């Protein structure tokens, strides 16, 4: 039985080897056709000097507005917000990429201004409350002084 298996295995191996020899050779790959060269995109022209000057001025105005926004007063914030609004509404082609940033800064300044107004309002309320508290303390002290001058009850 062992011998039959060995013989059968040998026959299979020989058949596989013979089949491998008779396999037709693969077709050679087709000759490459000359591919047209990809069109070369010209580099975008450098922005003219006047456009570069416009962008530089725009960036300088943004910097000034941001510097103004660092002030503590509401007037500084209002002035910075007004300047940024002008910049965000600019329609110059060279400043297009910076307009999104100006709009974002404008939104941040509007929020900062709203919060500053709330702080100012709360500060006024605190001062009024403190003044009222001092007035009530003065009245209380006056009432205590009057009470001490009254004759004692027997």
């Amino acid at each position: 039985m062992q011998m039959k298996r060995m013989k059968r295995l040998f026959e299979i191996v020989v058949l596989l080897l013979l089949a491998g020899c008779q396999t037709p050779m693969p077709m050679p790959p087709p000759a490459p056709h000359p591919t047209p060269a990809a069109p070369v995109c010209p580099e975008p022209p450098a922005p003219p000097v006047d456009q570069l000057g416009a962008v530089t001025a725009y960036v300088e105005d943004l910097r000034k507005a941001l510097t103004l926004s660092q002030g503590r007063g509401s007037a500084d914030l209002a002035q910075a917000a007004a300047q940024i609004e002008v910049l965000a509404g600019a329609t110059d082609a060279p400043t297009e990429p910076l307009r999104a940033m100006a709009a974002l800064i404008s939104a941040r300044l509007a929020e900062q201004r709203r919060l500053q107004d709330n702080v100012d309002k709360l500060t006024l309320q605190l001062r009024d409350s403190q003044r009222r508290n001092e007035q009530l303390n003065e009245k209380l002290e006056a009432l205590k002084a009057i009470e001490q001058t009254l004759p004692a009850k027997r």
Side-chain angles (χ1 to χ4, degrees), residues 15-27:
L15 284 175
L16 287 174
L17 287 173
L18 287 174
C21 292
Q22 290 183 354
T23 305
M25 295 206 40
M27 297 280 290

Side-chain angles (χ1 to χ4, degrees), residues 40-104:
V40 177
C41 296
E43 289 187 27
V49 176
D50 61 329
Q51 286 182 348
L52 189 59
V55 171
T56 304
Y58 192 85
V59 170
E60 185 63 24
D61 289 343
L62 280 175
R63 187 191 64 75
K64 287 177 185 175
L66 286 174
T67 303
L68 272 174
S69 73
Q70 299 304 312
R72 290 288 182 195
S74 295
D76 290 340
L77 281 176
Q79 188 177 0
Q83 189 170 0
I84 289 289
E85 283 296 325
V86 168
L87 295 174
T91 57
D92 300 349
T95 60
E96 171 120 13
L98 298 173
R99 270 187 258 148
M101 183 175 59
L104 181 66

Side-chain angles (χ1 to χ4, degrees), residues 73-140:
S74 295
D76 290 340
L77 281 176
Q79 188 177 0
Q83 189 170 0
I84 289 289
E85 283 296 325
V86 168
L87 295 174
T91 57
D92 300 349
T95 60
E96 171 120 13
L98 298 173
R99 270 187 258 148
M101 183 175 59
L104 181 66
I105 292 171
S106 176
R108 186 189 69 80
L109 285 177
E111 179 68 13
Q112 185 176 352
R113 188 171 177 201
R114 185 185 65 78
L115 291 173
Q116 185 64 43
D117 289 345
N118 285 345
V119 166
D120 291 344
K121 185 192 302 184
L122 291 173
T123 302
L124 285 175
Q125 288 177 353
L126 176 65
R127 286 183 188 154
D128 288 345
S129 295
Q130 287 174 339
R131 186 174 32 82
R132 222 172 308 129
N133 189 24
E134 289 174 6
Q135 289 173 347
L136 289 174
N137 279 335
E138 289 172 2
K139 287 180 182 178
L140 183 62

